[in-house]
Every structure is written in structure tokens, then in C-alpha cells.
mmCIF file of all heavy atoms in Angstrom:
data_model
loop_
_atom_site.group_PDB
_atom_site.id
_atom_site.type_symbol
_atom_site.label_atom_id
_atom_site.label_comp_id
_atom_site.label_asym_id
_atom_site.label_seq_id
_atom_site.Cartn_x
_atom_site.Cartn_y
_atom_site.Cartn_z
ATOM 1 N N VAL A 707 0.225 11.112 -11.921
ATOM 2 C CA VAL A 707 0.704 10.978 -13.293
ATOM 3 C C VAL A 707 2.112 11.562 -13.392
ATOM 4 O O VAL A 707 2.335 12.724 -13.027
ATOM 5 C CB VAL A 707 -0.246 11.668 -14.277
ATOM 6 C CG1 VAL A 707 0.287 11.540 -15.702
ATOM 7 C CG2 VAL A 707 -1.639 11.070 -14.184
ATOM 8 N N ALA A 708 3.042 10.749 -13.859
ATOM 9 C CA ALA A 708 4.419 11.183 -14.018
ATOM 10 C C ALA A 708 4.611 11.825 -15.393
ATOM 11 O O ALA A 708 4.134 11.306 -16.400
ATOM 12 C CB ALA A 708 5.379 10.011 -13.845
ATOM 13 N N VAL A 709 5.321 12.933 -15.413
ATOM 14 C CA VAL A 709 5.638 13.648 -16.649
ATOM 15 C C VAL A 709 7.142 13.583 -16.853
ATOM 16 O O VAL A 709 7.919 14.072 -16.029
ATOM 17 C CB VAL A 709 5.160 15.109 -16.599
ATOM 18 C CG1 VAL A 709 5.530 15.819 -17.893
ATOM 19 C CG2 VAL A 709 3.657 15.177 -16.366
ATOM 20 N N LEU A 710 7.566 12.955 -17.959
ATOM 21 C CA LEU A 710 8.977 12.776 -18.257
ATOM 22 C C LEU A 710 9.351 13.635 -19.461
ATOM 23 O O LEU A 710 8.595 13.737 -20.439
ATOM 24 C CB LEU A 710 9.288 11.299 -18.530
ATOM 25 C CG LEU A 710 8.922 10.318 -17.403
ATOM 26 C CD1 LEU A 710 9.216 8.881 -17.832
ATOM 27 C CD2 LEU A 710 9.665 10.639 -16.128
ATOM 28 N N GLU A 711 10.523 14.274 -19.402
ATOM 29 C CA GLU A 711 10.990 15.155 -20.456
ATOM 30 C C GLU A 711 12.293 14.645 -21.050
ATOM 31 O O GLU A 711 12.975 13.776 -20.474
ATOM 32 C CB GLU A 711 11.187 16.581 -19.924
ATOM 33 C CG GLU A 711 9.963 17.211 -19.313
ATOM 34 C CD GLU A 711 10.225 18.606 -18.785
ATOM 35 O OE1 GLU A 711 10.227 19.526 -19.557
ATOM 36 O OE2 GLU A 711 10.452 18.755 -17.602
ATOM 37 N N GLU A 712 12.648 15.200 -22.201
ATOM 38 C CA GLU A 712 13.942 14.976 -22.848
ATOM 39 C C GLU A 712 14.216 13.495 -23.090
ATOM 40 O O GLU A 712 15.338 13.025 -22.911
ATOM 41 C CB GLU A 712 15.072 15.589 -22.022
ATOM 42 C CG GLU A 712 14.937 17.088 -21.829
ATOM 43 C CD GLU A 712 16.055 17.656 -20.972
ATOM 44 O OE1 GLU A 712 16.887 16.850 -20.484
ATOM 45 O OE2 GLU A 712 16.105 18.878 -20.784
ATOM 46 N N GLY A 713 13.174 12.730 -23.453
ATOM 47 C CA GLY A 713 13.362 11.320 -23.754
ATOM 48 C C GLY A 713 13.629 10.438 -22.556
ATOM 49 O O GLY A 713 14.068 9.289 -22.702
ATOM 50 N N MET A 714 13.374 10.926 -21.358
ATOM 51 C CA MET A 714 13.607 10.146 -20.134
ATOM 52 C C MET A 714 12.568 9.046 -20.011
ATOM 53 O O MET A 714 11.397 9.226 -20.331
ATOM 54 C CB MET A 714 13.573 11.064 -18.911
ATOM 55 C CG MET A 714 14.012 10.414 -17.611
ATOM 56 S SD MET A 714 14.033 11.594 -16.228
ATOM 57 C CE MET A 714 15.288 12.735 -16.772
ATOM 58 N N LYS A 715 12.988 7.869 -19.514
ATOM 59 C CA LYS A 715 12.123 6.726 -19.333
ATOM 60 C C LYS A 715 12.268 6.198 -17.902
ATOM 61 O O LYS A 715 13.334 6.286 -17.296
ATOM 62 C CB LYS A 715 12.450 5.615 -20.329
ATOM 63 C CG LYS A 715 12.249 5.994 -21.782
ATOM 64 C CD LYS A 715 12.602 4.829 -22.689
ATOM 65 C CE LYS A 715 12.414 5.198 -24.157
ATOM 66 N NZ LYS A 715 12.774 4.072 -25.057
ATOM 67 N N PHE A 716 11.169 5.647 -17.388
ATOM 68 C CA PHE A 716 11.170 5.017 -16.072
ATOM 69 C C PHE A 716 11.024 3.516 -16.231
ATOM 70 O O PHE A 716 10.064 3.032 -16.832
ATOM 71 C CB PHE A 716 10.033 5.567 -15.195
ATOM 72 C CG PHE A 716 9.944 4.901 -13.848
ATOM 73 C CD1 PHE A 716 10.810 5.242 -12.829
ATOM 74 C CD2 PHE A 716 8.992 3.917 -13.605
ATOM 75 C CE1 PHE A 716 10.725 4.631 -11.584
ATOM 76 C CE2 PHE A 716 8.912 3.302 -12.370
ATOM 77 C CZ PHE A 716 9.782 3.663 -11.351
ATOM 78 N N GLN A 717 11.950 2.776 -15.696
ATOM 79 C CA GLN A 717 11.942 1.318 -15.760
ATOM 80 C C GLN A 717 11.796 0.773 -14.343
ATOM 81 O O GLN A 717 12.699 0.932 -13.508
ATOM 82 C CB GLN A 717 13.230 0.801 -16.406
ATOM 83 C CG GLN A 717 13.293 -0.719 -16.550
ATOM 84 C CD GLN A 717 12.289 -1.251 -17.534
ATOM 85 O OE1 GLN A 717 12.009 -0.623 -18.550
ATOM 86 N NE2 GLN A 717 11.723 -2.413 -17.241
ATOM 87 N N ALA A 718 10.646 0.157 -14.087
ATOM 88 C CA ALA A 718 10.392 -0.393 -12.751
ATOM 89 C C ALA A 718 11.222 -1.644 -12.526
ATOM 90 O O ALA A 718 11.388 -2.464 -13.425
ATOM 91 C CB ALA A 718 8.911 -0.694 -12.573
ATOM 92 N N ILE A 719 11.716 -1.806 -11.300
ATOM 93 C CA ILE A 719 12.456 -2.996 -10.905
ATOM 94 C C ILE A 719 11.883 -3.486 -9.577
ATOM 95 O O ILE A 719 11.114 -2.805 -8.911
ATOM 96 C CB ILE A 719 13.960 -2.724 -10.765
ATOM 97 C CG1 ILE A 719 14.226 -1.652 -9.706
ATOM 98 C CG2 ILE A 719 14.561 -2.352 -12.099
ATOM 99 C CD1 ILE A 719 15.687 -1.434 -9.413
ATOM 100 N N GLY A 720 12.277 -4.651 -9.197
ATOM 101 C CA GLY A 720 11.791 -5.246 -7.958
ATOM 102 C C GLY A 720 10.737 -6.301 -8.222
ATOM 103 O O GLY A 720 10.243 -6.452 -9.331
ATOM 104 N N ILE A 721 10.384 -7.005 -7.188
ATOM 105 C CA ILE A 721 9.435 -8.110 -7.281
ATOM 106 C C ILE A 721 8.122 -7.669 -6.668
ATOM 107 O O ILE A 721 8.069 -7.289 -5.497
ATOM 108 C CB ILE A 721 9.963 -9.356 -6.547
ATOM 109 C CG1 ILE A 721 11.306 -9.768 -7.122
ATOM 110 C CG2 ILE A 721 8.966 -10.500 -6.659
ATOM 111 C CD1 ILE A 721 11.942 -10.928 -6.394
ATOM 112 N N PRO A 722 7.042 -7.692 -7.432
ATOM 113 C CA PRO A 722 5.744 -7.321 -6.880
ATOM 114 C C PRO A 722 5.307 -8.288 -5.788
ATOM 115 O O PRO A 722 5.739 -9.447 -5.752
ATOM 116 C CB PRO A 722 4.807 -7.387 -8.088
ATOM 117 C CG PRO A 722 5.700 -7.345 -9.273
ATOM 118 C CD PRO A 722 6.994 -7.974 -8.861
ATOM 119 N N PRO A 723 4.475 -7.852 -4.876
ATOM 120 C CA PRO A 723 4.040 -8.731 -3.789
ATOM 121 C C PRO A 723 3.342 -10.002 -4.258
ATOM 122 O O PRO A 723 3.488 -11.052 -3.619
ATOM 123 C CB PRO A 723 3.092 -7.845 -2.976
ATOM 124 C CG PRO A 723 3.400 -6.476 -3.343
ATOM 125 C CD PRO A 723 3.952 -6.492 -4.730
ATOM 126 N N GLU A 724 2.571 -9.930 -5.348
ATOM 127 C CA GLU A 724 1.901 -11.143 -5.798
ATOM 128 C C GLU A 724 2.878 -12.198 -6.271
ATOM 129 O O GLU A 724 2.604 -13.407 -6.166
ATOM 130 C CB GLU A 724 0.900 -10.830 -6.903
ATOM 131 C CG GLU A 724 1.500 -10.204 -8.161
ATOM 132 C CD GLU A 724 1.550 -8.699 -8.096
ATOM 133 O OE1 GLU A 724 1.418 -8.170 -6.979
ATOM 134 O OE2 GLU A 724 1.704 -8.032 -9.135
ATOM 135 N N GLN A 725 4.051 -11.769 -6.821
ATOM 136 C CA GLN A 725 5.042 -12.738 -7.244
ATOM 137 C C GLN A 725 5.837 -13.278 -6.061
ATOM 138 O O GLN A 725 6.293 -14.408 -6.073
ATOM 139 C CB GLN A 725 5.982 -12.109 -8.273
ATOM 140 C CG GLN A 725 5.300 -11.667 -9.553
ATOM 141 C CD GLN A 725 6.268 -11.086 -10.572
ATOM 142 O OE1 GLN A 725 7.489 -11.213 -10.410
ATOM 143 N NE2 GLN A 725 5.745 -10.463 -11.625
ATOM 144 N N ALA A 726 6.070 -12.467 -5.112
ATOM 145 C CA ALA A 726 6.800 -12.906 -3.919
ATOM 146 C C ALA A 726 5.909 -13.607 -2.908
ATOM 147 O O ALA A 726 6.391 -14.059 -1.855
ATOM 148 C CB ALA A 726 7.476 -11.717 -3.251
ATOM 149 N N GLN A 727 4.586 -13.713 -3.186
ATOM 150 C CA GLN A 727 3.629 -14.350 -2.278
ATOM 151 C C GLN A 727 3.712 -13.730 -0.884
ATOM 152 O O GLN A 727 3.831 -14.396 0.129
ATOM 153 C CB GLN A 727 3.854 -15.847 -2.215
ATOM 154 C CG GLN A 727 3.624 -16.568 -3.526
ATOM 155 C CD GLN A 727 3.795 -18.056 -3.438
ATOM 156 O OE1 GLN A 727 4.392 -18.555 -2.495
ATOM 157 N NE2 GLN A 727 3.272 -18.798 -4.399
ATOM 158 N N PHE A 728 3.621 -12.409 -0.907
ATOM 159 C CA PHE A 728 3.761 -11.652 0.327
ATOM 160 C C PHE A 728 2.685 -12.025 1.353
ATOM 161 O O PHE A 728 2.981 -12.316 2.507
ATOM 162 C CB PHE A 728 3.720 -10.156 -0.005
ATOM 163 C CG PHE A 728 3.552 -9.263 1.186
ATOM 164 C CD1 PHE A 728 4.555 -9.137 2.132
ATOM 165 C CD2 PHE A 728 2.384 -8.536 1.367
ATOM 166 C CE1 PHE A 728 4.398 -8.312 3.226
ATOM 167 C CE2 PHE A 728 2.222 -7.711 2.449
ATOM 168 C CZ PHE A 728 3.234 -7.594 3.390
ATOM 169 N N LEU A 729 1.441 -12.028 0.939
ATOM 170 C CA LEU A 729 0.358 -12.330 1.866
ATOM 171 C C LEU A 729 0.414 -13.767 2.359
ATOM 172 O O LEU A 729 0.138 -14.046 3.534
ATOM 173 C CB LEU A 729 -0.987 -12.052 1.199
ATOM 174 C CG LEU A 729 -1.273 -10.595 0.832
ATOM 175 C CD1 LEU A 729 -2.621 -10.474 0.153
ATOM 176 C CD2 LEU A 729 -1.219 -9.711 2.070
ATOM 177 N N GLU A 730 0.764 -14.693 1.474
ATOM 178 C CA GLU A 730 0.872 -16.091 1.885
ATOM 179 C C GLU A 730 1.986 -16.280 2.908
ATOM 180 O O GLU A 730 1.863 -17.082 3.845
ATOM 181 C CB GLU A 730 1.111 -16.971 0.666
ATOM 182 C CG GLU A 730 -0.103 -17.174 -0.227
ATOM 183 C CD GLU A 730 -0.390 -15.950 -1.094
ATOM 184 O OE1 GLU A 730 0.429 -15.009 -1.076
ATOM 185 O OE2 GLU A 730 -1.429 -15.929 -1.780
ATOM 186 N N THR A 731 3.086 -15.556 2.723
ATOM 187 C CA THR A 731 4.188 -15.647 3.672
ATOM 188 C C THR A 731 3.773 -15.136 5.049
ATOM 189 O O THR A 731 4.074 -15.745 6.071
ATOM 190 C CB THR A 731 5.402 -14.864 3.163
ATOM 191 O OG1 THR A 731 5.782 -15.374 1.886
ATOM 192 C CG2 THR A 731 6.571 -14.993 4.120
ATOM 193 N N ARG A 732 3.080 -14.002 5.079
ATOM 194 C CA ARG A 732 2.618 -13.466 6.354
ATOM 195 C C ARG A 732 1.640 -14.425 7.036
ATOM 196 O O ARG A 732 1.692 -14.619 8.249
ATOM 197 C CB ARG A 732 1.947 -12.111 6.138
ATOM 198 C CG ARG A 732 2.888 -10.989 5.740
ATOM 199 C CD ARG A 732 2.348 -9.646 6.169
ATOM 200 N NE ARG A 732 2.286 -9.563 7.628
ATOM 201 C CZ ARG A 732 1.710 -8.555 8.289
ATOM 202 N NH1 ARG A 732 1.141 -7.585 7.633
ATOM 203 N NH2 ARG A 732 1.680 -8.549 9.617
ATOM 204 N N LYS A 733 0.744 -15.033 6.269
ATOM 205 C CA LYS A 733 -0.211 -15.967 6.846
ATOM 206 C C LYS A 733 0.490 -17.203 7.403
ATOM 207 O O LYS A 733 0.132 -17.702 8.469
ATOM 208 C CB LYS A 733 -1.240 -16.367 5.795
ATOM 209 C CG LYS A 733 -2.372 -17.255 6.321
ATOM 210 C CD LYS A 733 -3.336 -17.623 5.212
ATOM 211 C CE LYS A 733 -4.000 -16.378 4.665
ATOM 212 N NZ LYS A 733 -5.029 -16.726 3.623
ATOM 213 N N PHE A 734 1.497 -17.698 6.692
ATOM 214 C CA PHE A 734 2.235 -18.857 7.174
ATOM 215 C C PHE A 734 2.967 -18.542 8.468
ATOM 216 O O PHE A 734 3.027 -19.387 9.368
ATOM 217 C CB PHE A 734 3.219 -19.336 6.105
ATOM 218 C CG PHE A 734 4.069 -20.499 6.554
ATOM 219 C CD1 PHE A 734 3.572 -21.788 6.548
ATOM 220 C CD2 PHE A 734 5.361 -20.290 7.003
ATOM 221 C CE1 PHE A 734 4.346 -22.847 6.973
ATOM 222 C CE2 PHE A 734 6.142 -21.340 7.428
ATOM 223 C CZ PHE A 734 5.635 -22.630 7.414
ATOM 224 N N GLN A 735 3.541 -17.348 8.568
ATOM 225 C CA GLN A 735 4.257 -16.992 9.792
ATOM 226 C C GLN A 735 3.310 -16.860 10.973
ATOM 227 O O GLN A 735 3.686 -17.165 12.108
ATOM 228 C CB GLN A 735 5.035 -15.689 9.580
ATOM 229 C CG GLN A 735 6.215 -15.824 8.608
ATOM 230 C CD GLN A 735 7.130 -16.954 8.960
ATOM 231 O OE1 GLN A 735 7.309 -17.879 8.178
ATOM 232 N NE2 GLN A 735 7.689 -16.937 10.149
ATOM 233 N N ILE A 736 2.092 -16.440 10.727
ATOM 234 C CA ILE A 736 1.112 -16.404 11.812
ATOM 235 C C ILE A 736 0.846 -17.815 12.329
ATOM 236 O O ILE A 736 0.826 -18.059 13.542
ATOM 237 C CB ILE A 736 -0.184 -15.727 11.342
ATOM 238 C CG1 ILE A 736 0.067 -14.241 11.072
ATOM 239 C CG2 ILE A 736 -1.286 -15.901 12.368
ATOM 240 C CD1 ILE A 736 -1.133 -13.516 10.499
ATOM 241 N N ASN A 737 0.634 -18.757 11.424
ATOM 242 C CA ASN A 737 0.440 -20.147 11.830
ATOM 243 C C ASN A 737 1.687 -20.722 12.496
ATOM 244 O O ASN A 737 1.591 -21.538 13.419
ATOM 245 C CB ASN A 737 0.042 -20.998 10.632
ATOM 246 C CG ASN A 737 -1.337 -20.661 10.097
ATOM 247 O OD1 ASN A 737 -2.208 -20.225 10.849
ATOM 248 N ND2 ASN A 737 -1.544 -20.826 8.804
ATOM 249 N N GLU A 738 2.851 -20.318 12.025
ATOM 250 C CA GLU A 738 4.100 -20.791 12.618
ATOM 251 C C GLU A 738 4.227 -20.330 14.068
ATOM 252 O O GLU A 738 4.609 -21.106 14.950
ATOM 253 C CB GLU A 738 5.285 -20.286 11.789
ATOM 254 C CG GLU A 738 6.630 -20.834 12.224
ATOM 255 C CD GLU A 738 6.927 -22.188 11.642
ATOM 256 O OE1 GLU A 738 6.044 -22.813 11.019
ATOM 257 O OE2 GLU A 738 8.068 -22.649 11.802
ATOM 258 N N ILE A 739 3.931 -19.071 14.330
ATOM 259 C CA ILE A 739 4.014 -18.546 15.688
ATOM 260 C C ILE A 739 2.936 -19.174 16.571
ATOM 261 O O ILE A 739 3.189 -19.511 17.732
ATOM 262 C CB ILE A 739 3.901 -17.016 15.667
ATOM 263 C CG1 ILE A 739 5.121 -16.419 14.953
ATOM 264 C CG2 ILE A 739 3.785 -16.452 17.070
ATOM 265 C CD1 ILE A 739 5.025 -14.933 14.715
ATOM 266 N N ALA A 740 1.726 -19.359 16.029
ATOM 267 C CA ALA A 740 0.679 -20.037 16.790
ATOM 268 C C ALA A 740 1.083 -21.465 17.128
ATOM 269 O O ALA A 740 0.739 -21.984 18.197
ATOM 270 C CB ALA A 740 -0.634 -20.021 16.010
ATOM 271 N N ARG A 741 1.828 -22.118 16.234
ATOM 272 C CA ARG A 741 2.309 -23.474 16.484
ATOM 273 C C ARG A 741 3.335 -23.498 17.622
ATOM 274 O O ARG A 741 3.396 -24.470 18.385
ATOM 275 C CB ARG A 741 2.913 -24.036 15.202
ATOM 276 C CG ARG A 741 3.245 -25.519 15.271
ATOM 277 C CD ARG A 741 3.857 -26.006 13.959
ATOM 278 N NE ARG A 741 2.947 -25.792 12.855
ATOM 279 C CZ ARG A 741 3.198 -24.986 11.819
ATOM 280 N NH1 ARG A 741 4.344 -24.353 11.747
ATOM 281 N NH2 ARG A 741 2.311 -24.840 10.844
ATOM 282 N N ILE A 742 4.128 -22.453 17.736
ATOM 283 C CA ILE A 742 5.125 -22.381 18.808
ATOM 284 C C ILE A 742 4.439 -22.395 20.172
ATOM 285 O O ILE A 742 4.847 -23.110 21.087
ATOM 286 C CB ILE A 742 6.000 -21.123 18.651
ATOM 287 C CG1 ILE A 742 6.812 -21.200 17.349
ATOM 288 C CG2 ILE A 742 6.919 -20.937 19.851
ATOM 289 C CD1 ILE A 742 7.495 -19.906 16.998
ATOM 290 N N PHE A 743 3.390 -21.602 20.312
ATOM 291 C CA PHE A 743 2.670 -21.509 21.583
ATOM 292 C C PHE A 743 1.534 -22.526 21.695
ATOM 293 O O PHE A 743 0.821 -22.520 22.701
ATOM 294 C CB PHE A 743 2.115 -20.097 21.761
ATOM 295 C CG PHE A 743 3.169 -19.043 21.933
ATOM 296 C CD1 PHE A 743 3.581 -18.268 20.864
ATOM 297 C CD2 PHE A 743 3.757 -18.818 23.160
ATOM 298 C CE1 PHE A 743 4.546 -17.297 21.014
ATOM 299 C CE2 PHE A 743 4.726 -17.844 23.325
ATOM 300 C CZ PHE A 743 5.128 -17.087 22.244
ATOM 301 N N ARG A 744 1.339 -23.367 20.692
ATOM 302 C CA ARG A 744 0.265 -24.375 20.666
ATOM 303 C C ARG A 744 -1.104 -23.737 20.861
ATOM 304 O O ARG A 744 -1.929 -24.205 21.637
ATOM 305 C CB ARG A 744 0.522 -25.461 21.706
ATOM 306 C CG ARG A 744 1.662 -26.397 21.344
ATOM 307 C CD ARG A 744 1.688 -27.626 22.203
ATOM 308 N NE ARG A 744 1.907 -27.328 23.601
ATOM 309 C CZ ARG A 744 1.998 -28.234 24.556
ATOM 310 N NH1 ARG A 744 1.883 -29.507 24.259
ATOM 311 N NH2 ARG A 744 2.193 -27.879 25.809
ATOM 312 N N VAL A 745 -1.334 -22.657 20.137
ATOM 313 C CA VAL A 745 -2.622 -21.971 20.149
ATOM 314 C C VAL A 745 -3.331 -22.278 18.839
ATOM 315 O O VAL A 745 -2.740 -22.142 17.767
ATOM 316 C CB VAL A 745 -2.437 -20.454 20.328
ATOM 317 C CG1 VAL A 745 -3.763 -19.723 20.190
ATOM 318 C CG2 VAL A 745 -1.812 -20.151 21.683
ATOM 319 N N PRO A 746 -4.586 -22.714 18.859
ATOM 320 C CA PRO A 746 -5.315 -22.979 17.616
ATOM 321 C C PRO A 746 -5.372 -21.745 16.729
ATOM 322 O O PRO A 746 -5.547 -20.625 17.239
ATOM 323 C CB PRO A 746 -6.705 -23.396 18.104
ATOM 324 C CG PRO A 746 -6.500 -23.871 19.502
ATOM 325 C CD PRO A 746 -5.386 -23.041 20.057
ATOM 326 N N PRO A 747 -5.240 -21.909 15.417
ATOM 327 C CA PRO A 747 -5.223 -20.736 14.525
ATOM 328 C C PRO A 747 -6.471 -19.872 14.631
ATOM 329 O O PRO A 747 -6.386 -18.652 14.480
ATOM 330 C CB PRO A 747 -5.085 -21.366 13.124
ATOM 331 C CG PRO A 747 -4.438 -22.689 13.365
ATOM 332 C CD PRO A 747 -4.965 -23.148 14.676
ATOM 333 N N HIS A 748 -7.626 -20.486 14.906
ATOM 334 C CA HIS A 748 -8.844 -19.673 14.955
ATOM 335 C C HIS A 748 -8.844 -18.720 16.136
ATOM 336 O O HIS A 748 -9.564 -17.712 16.131
ATOM 337 C CB HIS A 748 -10.077 -20.581 15.009
ATOM 338 C CG HIS A 748 -10.321 -21.209 16.351
ATOM 339 N ND1 HIS A 748 -9.777 -22.409 16.710
ATOM 340 C CD2 HIS A 748 -11.049 -20.804 17.425
ATOM 341 C CE1 HIS A 748 -10.164 -22.734 17.925
ATOM 342 N NE2 HIS A 748 -10.921 -21.779 18.397
ATOM 343 N N MET A 749 -8.026 -18.988 17.169
ATOM 344 C CA MET A 749 -7.968 -18.105 18.323
ATOM 345 C C MET A 749 -7.117 -16.877 18.069
ATOM 346 O O MET A 749 -7.169 -15.923 18.858
ATOM 347 C CB MET A 749 -7.447 -18.873 19.545
ATOM 348 C CG MET A 749 -8.294 -20.057 19.941
ATOM 349 S SD MET A 749 -7.810 -20.827 21.505
ATOM 350 C CE MET A 749 -8.405 -19.586 22.661
ATOM 351 N N VAL A 750 -6.319 -16.877 16.997
ATOM 352 C CA VAL A 750 -5.545 -15.692 16.608
ATOM 353 C C VAL A 750 -6.108 -15.058 15.350
ATOM 354 O O VAL A 750 -5.429 -14.258 14.698
ATOM 355 C CB VAL A 750 -4.054 -16.032 16.421
ATOM 356 C CG1 VAL A 750 -3.425 -16.428 17.744
ATOM 357 C CG2 VAL A 750 -3.861 -17.139 15.405
ATOM 358 N N GLY A 751 -7.325 -15.418 15.003
ATOM 359 C CA GLY A 751 -8.006 -14.761 13.906
ATOM 360 C C GLY A 751 -7.905 -15.432 12.562
ATOM 361 O O GLY A 751 -8.372 -14.870 11.567
ATOM 362 N N ASP A 752 -7.301 -16.621 12.471
ATOM 363 C CA ASP A 752 -7.190 -17.337 11.214
ATOM 364 C C ASP A 752 -8.317 -18.363 11.137
ATOM 365 O O ASP A 752 -8.236 -19.449 11.715
ATOM 366 C CB ASP A 752 -5.827 -18.017 11.093
ATOM 367 C CG ASP A 752 -5.607 -18.656 9.719
ATOM 368 O OD1 ASP A 752 -6.481 -18.472 8.834
ATOM 369 O OD2 ASP A 752 -4.568 -19.321 9.520
ATOM 370 N N LEU A 753 -9.378 -18.042 10.413
ATOM 371 C CA LEU A 753 -10.555 -18.899 10.313
ATOM 372 C C LEU A 753 -10.646 -19.608 8.974
ATOM 373 O O LEU A 753 -11.720 -20.105 8.604
ATOM 374 C CB LEU A 753 -11.822 -18.075 10.539
ATOM 375 C CG LEU A 753 -11.918 -17.331 11.874
ATOM 376 C CD1 LEU A 753 -13.164 -16.472 11.917
ATOM 377 C CD2 LEU A 753 -11.896 -18.303 13.042
ATOM 378 N N GLU A 754 -9.542 -19.687 8.234
ATOM 379 C CA GLU A 754 -9.584 -20.251 6.898
ATOM 380 C C GLU A 754 -9.999 -21.721 6.911
ATOM 381 O O GLU A 754 -10.811 -22.153 6.082
ATOM 382 C CB GLU A 754 -8.225 -20.091 6.220
ATOM 383 C CG GLU A 754 -8.193 -20.609 4.787
ATOM 384 C CD GLU A 754 -6.839 -20.404 4.131
ATOM 385 O OE1 GLU A 754 -5.948 -19.840 4.810
ATOM 386 O OE2 GLU A 754 -6.676 -20.786 2.951
#
């Protein structure tokens, strides 16, 4: 819990991971690298 004094305010900036599709990007790069070596995705742990 943050305690602010003297009228101080905290304004968050930046892009949250859900907006930047962080997990989707990581999953796509895994498939991209598997495609380079021609390895099926299920052999690198992607069973989707």
C-alpha cells in the first residue's frame, strides 16, 4: 500500500501486457523458431 503526502499523486504510464498481447507474442515467436528448424510445435511443448 502506497502512502502519499502533501497532495502527491501517482499516475501510471506504460502499456499493460494484456494490451500489448505479451503472451500471444511470446507464443508466436515459439512457433516461428520451431518453423525455422521444421520441428512440430507439439515437440516444443505447444499442444494448443
Side-chain angles (χ1 to χ4, degrees):
V707 179
V709 179
L710 303 177
E711 302 179 81
E712 300 178 356
M714 189 177 296
K715 297 180 180 179
F716 177 78
Q717 182 67 36
I719 60 174
I721 302 176
E724 60 271 16
Q725 298 182 12
Q727 296 182 343
F728 167 68
L729 295 179
E730 286 77 6
T731 302
R732 290 207 65 188
K733 185 181 297 184
F734 177 80
Q735 291 308 119
I736 292 175
N737 292 331
E738 186 83 351
I739 294 172
R741 189 181 301 117
I742 296 169
F743 293 98
R744 288 193 297 181
V745 174
H748 76 271
M749 300 188 73
V750 294
D752 186 5
L753 302 175
E754 182 179 359

